Amino acid sequence: MIDKNALSTLTARPQLFSHRSSIPQWVHDTFISYKQADTRNFVSHLYDALGRNKIRAFVDHSLERGLEITPAINEAIERSRSAIVVISQNYASSPWCLEELDKILMCKEKKGQLVFLIFVDVDPREMREQSGPFARIGQSEKGFGQENVDNIQRWRDALCKAGNLTGWPLENRLEAEFVQSVVEKISRRLNGLCKKLLAFRLVGLDSQVQALYSLLQLEVEEVQIVGISGTSGIGRTTLVRALYHQIADQFDSSCFLSNMMDISSQDGLIKMLETFVGDILGNLEFDDDIHAAINLMRNKLHNKRVLLVLDDVEGLLEPLCHLIKAINLGPGSRVILIPRHKETIISLCDKIYKVRALNDDQALELFSWNAFQERYPKNDYKMLSNCFTSFCKGLPLALTVMGSFLNGKSVKEWQEAFGRLKKICQVKVHDILRIIIDSLETNERMIFLDIACFLNGYDKEEIIKSLDQCSLHTNSGIEILVQKSLIYIDENNKIWMHDLFEEMGRRIVIQECPKNPSKRSRIWHHEDALRVFRQNSGTNAIEGIKLGKVAIEDLVMNADSFKKMKKLRLFIMMDHVPHCGPAGHLSEKLWRCFAENSNKISTKFACLEALVKEISKFWSRGGRA
């Protein structure tokens, strides 16, 4: 069980956001706290690596320090977006290092400052247990002064708090590789935070974040499931992410699982559990045994205080809630559910928070930030700005996307766009978003539809590598989609698309041929894709297919299926990297992959080999039967 004193320390209520006009004006990206005698060379390499990644770091190079940190150091910590604490053998013996740590944790609680721990030649467990080199708190090489007696408990509390944060131990790794890896992770976190501040400007968020925070009651030890309700596009995910980044470090472990719509079967639940456990306990596989997965998680998590967010949940919401309760999370754990559609979550959750739309002033401000990068509209655009914001009905997604779409356009172009809106009798958010999608050039439109149908949540570099093989200008296309707020890149370098855009992109593809999936450009439903292969009903229209989990027997399909799909350029199977490229190259490549992965099933291997040869002959003839 978690110690109650430690628990009360962990759940100390932070001041999440001040008024939005007082967004912190950071001078430094990060402040480095370290014991010079132990880690001077390491910190020098770390500082250089941060500089190469354009991260402005503050390091106190002074060789002489007093027992109290100076006002200049205090100010440097307060004006830093984050802090890196390098924990070494003698860190806890240094009164000024402990004072820096205490100040850093205070800024973390009050200002939401990010804190990163690096362990050099020490065991993180010793810090949590305050054993080994952490037993002699504040006893520097200059001796233990009487003036430190009153500070001992405060320093112990600071070490205890820091011990519950996630850190990176150097251990036996090469220092250069370790430093580069750490800096890349810090860079992603800082870039993610910066993008969020710039993209949303916290307009209308502060009061709702505080309200949701109060509803969670983190000081209560009872495990609670909280549901988030509200119209799609109203900012449910944005709200929860803003809170998540503020409170995640108050838990033993935290996990934000996006795009959970694939949880519609036991396979989906297994995948969710593997992802969840992977983020918290390291990579594990459960095969197909849901009971074994639950038992393992009960053993691993029963004493851990966990924050778990499941976003965009679709399908088995009720079984999922029962599953969460069966896992038996530790005291004080919180689970937040964001359903994709208006599912009945009232009876499944302990509490419900309903997200509110923006009022008129907030809506105009958010629209202006995206249209002009300013708080208020430019004079020539004031009337038109009010017209567009009234159409968007206080929905942050519509305001953000429409503002981004109009950014840099002339008054005449604004008038033409508004004219298109006025032709719609009953304006809905789908109608607003469709105008933006229809304005995309061919390259961006193809990338948009590929992400909507297949690649939502994939790594950015993986998407670029895959779609570049399809003769698309992926990098520039992604930049344009980001500028138009049609997609966003998270701190883990994954590309995400809002569920409304995903739904609209798929609807556009369905409209290509509503009654026959084989005549559409993209097939993402497993059953539709499997039917196309089994019935040899592929057509020249198909450019991409996604299959779910299939048995090896279902991969042994008639080669004729591919003969008709001469435009096929993208093939995806569950848990596998996309196979991409020109039709002939792709078909031979993916079937060779199937053959190579079926060595363990010798009875099928000969059949696959024969199939590969047939496909190779077919494409060597230029795709002619």
Side-chain angles (χ1 to χ4, degrees):
M1 296 294 289
I2 299 175
D3 179 76
K4 290 186 177 181
N5 292 326
L7 185 63
S8 64
T9 300
L10 282 169
T11 56
R13 187 178 295 244
Q15 298 297 315
L16 293 173
F17 288 114
S18 56
H19 190 269
R20 78 152 306 280
S21 62
S22 61
I23 294 174
Q25 300 299 309
W26 310 119
V27 175
H28 315 288
D29 291 317
T30 194
F31 175 94
I32 303 178
S33 175
Y34 68 108
K35 176 65 175 171
Q36 292 192 28
D38 291 350
T39 58
R40 183 181 289 111
N41 291 336
F42 177 87
V43 170
S44 176
H45 297 153
L46 175 64
Y47 181 81
D48 289 343
L50 290 167
R52 289 194 298 273
N53 283 267
K54 296 181 171 33
I55 298 174
R56 298 167 300 174
F58 179 93
V59 177
D60 180 15
H61 294 292
S62 168
L63 294 177
E64 294 295 329
R65 296 185 183 184
L67 293 180
E68 295 182 2
I69 57 176
T70 65
I73 295 296
N74 263 325
E75 183 180 0
I77 294 173
E78 290 175 353
R79 303 297 292 276
S80 298
R81 280 202 294 153
S82 68
I84 300 173
V85 183
V86 182
I87 307 294
S88 58
Q89 284 284 327
N90 295 300
Y91 187 91
S93 69
S94 168
W96 45 88
C97 285
L98 294 170
E99 285 293 328
E100 286 180 354
L101 178 63
D102 188 56
K103 179 67 176 180
I104 287 167
L105 294 176
M106 188 184 303
C107 289
K108 175 185 177 298
E109 292 182 357
K110 291 185 176 181
K111 297 187 174 185
Q113 187 183 73
L114 297 175
V115 179
F116 309 103
L117 266 63
I118 297 175
F119 296 94
V120 178
D121 297 328
V122 294
D123 187 338
R125 289 181 304 174
E126 292 179 330
M127 180 175 174
R128 288 192 292 269
E129 299 167 357
Q130 295 188 11
S131 59
F134 299 94
R136 302 175 64 214
I137 303 296
Q139 300 181 47
S140 67
E141 62 277 2
K142 294 182 180 181
F144 182 76
Q146 185 63 32
E147 65 273 18
N148 293 333
V149 173
D150 295 336
N151 297 321
I152 294 295
Q153 189 56 50
R154 179 165 56 86
W155 293 338
R156 288 192 181 279
D157 290 342
L159 286 169
C160 181
K161 288 183 187 179
N164 285 287
L165 302 180
T166 301
W168 300 297
L170 173 59
E171 296 178 332
N172 296 320
R173 299 174 61 180
L174 293 175
E175 186 175 297
E177 293 179 0
F178 174 76
V179 167
Q180 187 57 39
S181 173
V182 165
V183 169
E184 287 175 0
K185 292 174 183 176
I186 291 173
S187 178
R188 284 199 295 268
R189 288 290 303 275
L190 291 176
N191 287 338
L193 177 63
C194 183
K195 287 174 185 175
K196 289 178 179 63
L197 289 173
L198 292 175
F200 300 109
R201 298 285 174 176
L202 305 184
V203 178
L205 266 185
D206 48 2
S207 62
Q208 295 212 63
V209 169
Q210 287 285 0
L212 179 55
Y213 179 84
S214 299
L215 184 71
L216 288 179
Q217 291 184 295
L218 297 188
E219 68 276 7
V220 176
E221 291 196 20
E222 179 185 0
V223 177
Q224 295 183 359
I225 300 177
V226 177
I228 308 296
S229 69
T231 305
S232 188
I234 204 168
R236 296 173 300 166
T237 300
T238 301
L239 170 63
V240 175
R241 274 194 180 277
L243 179 63
Y244 177 86
H245 284 289
Q246 293 294 320
I247 67 174
D249 287 339
Q250 298 184 44
F251 293 80
D252 296 329
S253 300
S254 58
C255 184
F256 195 117
L257 296 179
S258 303
N259 200 33
M260 299 300 297
M261 67 171 293
D262 289 332
I263 299 181
S264 57
S265 64
Q266 178 165 305
D267 289 337
L269 291 174
I270 288 284
K271 181 62 179 173
M272 185 275 289
L273 288 174
E274 287 181 353
T275 304
F276 175 37
V277 174
D279 280 3
I280 293 178
L281 303 174
N283 293 328
L284 291 173
E285 293 186 3
F286 300 133
D287 297 322
D288 294 325
D289 191 340
I290 189 74
H291 300 291
I294 293 173
N295 288 333
L296 177 61
M297 296 189 74
R298 284 175 65 90
N299 292 333
K300 296 289 186 180
L301 299 175
H302 74 279
N303 63 344
K304 283 187 175 289
R305 188 169 185 262
V306 174
L307 173 61
L308 173 61
V309 179
L310 301 180
D311 185 20
D312 205 13
V313 178
E314 174 85 354
L316 299 180
L317 187 57
E318 185 169 359
L320 184 60
C321 287
H322 293 313
L323 176 66
I324 291 168
K325 292 177 180 178
I327 291 172
N328 193 27
L329 300 174
S333 293
R334 294 292 181 270
V335 179
I336 301 177
L337 299 177
I338 311 174
R340 166 165 282 214
H341 298 297
K342 296 179 180 178
E343 301 193 49
T344 305
I345 60 175
I346 295 176
S347 60
L348 304 175
C349 299
D350 302 303
K351 297 175 181 177
I352 302 291
Y353 182 84
K354 186 173 183 179
V355 182
R356 305 185 304 273
L358 300 179
N359 61 36
D360 292 343
D361 290 339
Q362 293 168 339
L364 183 61
E365 182 179 351
L366 180 59
F367 176 83
S368 297
W369 278 120
N370 288 277
F372 309 106
Q373 282 76 56
E374 297 177 7
R375 188 171 184 177
Y376 301 107
K378 295 181 178 179
N379 289 332
D380 295 344
Y381 294 84
K382 282 184 178 179
M383 185 176 295
L384 280 167
S385 295
N386 282 311
C387 292
F388 277 109
T389 54
S390 66
F391 265 97
C392 292
K393 302 183 185 301
L395 292 177
L397 178 68
L399 291 161
T400 299
V401 174
M402 183 56 73
S404 300
F405 169 67
L406 295 169
N407 176 253
K409 296 186 184 297
S410 66
V411 172
K412 183 179 180 181
E413 290 173 306
W414 277 51
Q415 291 170 338
E416 291 173 352
F418 187 64
R420 274 179 277 166
L421 274 182
K422 288 198 298 184
K423 292 179 182 178
I424 304 170
C425 297
Q426 290 184 333
V427 178
K428 297 180 181 179
V429 66
H430 287 83
D431 301 317
I432 298 172
L433 303 182
R434 184 61 190 260
I435 290 176
I436 283 83
I437 296 173
D438 288 344
S439 71
L440 294 174
E441 299 293 336
T442 301
N443 185 69
E444 288 72 52
R445 183 183 175 87
M446 288 188 69
I447 295 171
F448 174 86
L449 293 178
D450 283 343
I451 294 173
C453 296
F454 303 122
L455 303 172
N456 198 6
Y458 275 68
D459 180 79
K460 176 188 173 183
E461 299 307 318
E462 189 174 285
I463 291 177
I464 292 174
K465 182 180 178 180
S466 298
L467 297 188
D468 277 352
Q469 296 181 57
C470 302
S471 300
L472 294 175
H473 304 293
T474 317
N475 202 30
S476 61
I478 286 175
E479 287 182 6
I480 292 172
L481 294 178
V482 169
Q483 291 170 7
K484 292 181 179 291
S485 299
L486 298 178
I487 60 175
Y488 72 93
I489 303 169
D490 70 9
E491 60 270 24
N492 296 314
N493 208 39
K494 291 185 177 181
I495 290 180
W496 293 102
M497 175 182 288
H498 192 277
D499 62 312
L500 272 180
F501 285 127
E502 183 179 83
E503 182 180 322
M504 291 184 67
R506 293 183 174 191
R507 187 181 298 178
I508 289 170
V509 174
I510 290 173
Q511 288 171 354
E512 294 172 354
C513 188
K515 295 184 179 180
N516 188 351
S518 66
K519 293 184 179 181
R520 300 172 191 161
S521 61
R522 296 161 180 85
I523 303 174
W524 58 89
H525 283 305
H526 173 70
E527 292 302 324
D528 289 339
L530 206 55
R531 194 176 300 114
V532 166
F533 285 114
R534 285 174 172 171
Q535 297 177 359
N536 297 328
S537 58
T539 68
N540 196 40
I542 299 173
E543 298 177 29
I545 296 179
K546 181 178 181 180
L547 272 171
K549 190 172 183 179
V550 294
I552 192 67
E553 290 82 4
D554 289 321
L555 299 179
V556 184
M557 305 166 189
N558 196 308
D560 290 342
S561 299
F562 283 95
K563 290 182 181 180
K564 301 174 184 178
M565 293 186 280
K566 296 179 182 179
K567 291 184 180 179
L568 182 65
R569 58 181 175 79
L570 185 62
F571 187 94
I572 302 175
M573 287 185 60
M574 179 183 284
D575 302 332
H576 291 282
V577 174
H579 296 277
C580 306
H585 167 72
L586 170 61
S587 299
E588 182 176 348
K589 178 181 175 183
L590 68 92
W591 279 107
R592 286 198 180 280
C593 178
F594 293 154
E596 290 167 1
N597 290 335
S598 63
N599 284 319
K600 296 179 181 178
I601 310 178
S602 56
T603 56
K604 306 300 180 193
F605 183 72
C607 182
L608 284 169
E609 273 295 310
L611 187 54
V612 167
K613 290 178 181 178
E614 286 299 313
I615 294 174
S616 299
K617 291 178 184 177
F618 169 67
W619 289 112
S620 66
R621 297 194 296 270
R624 298 185 300 275

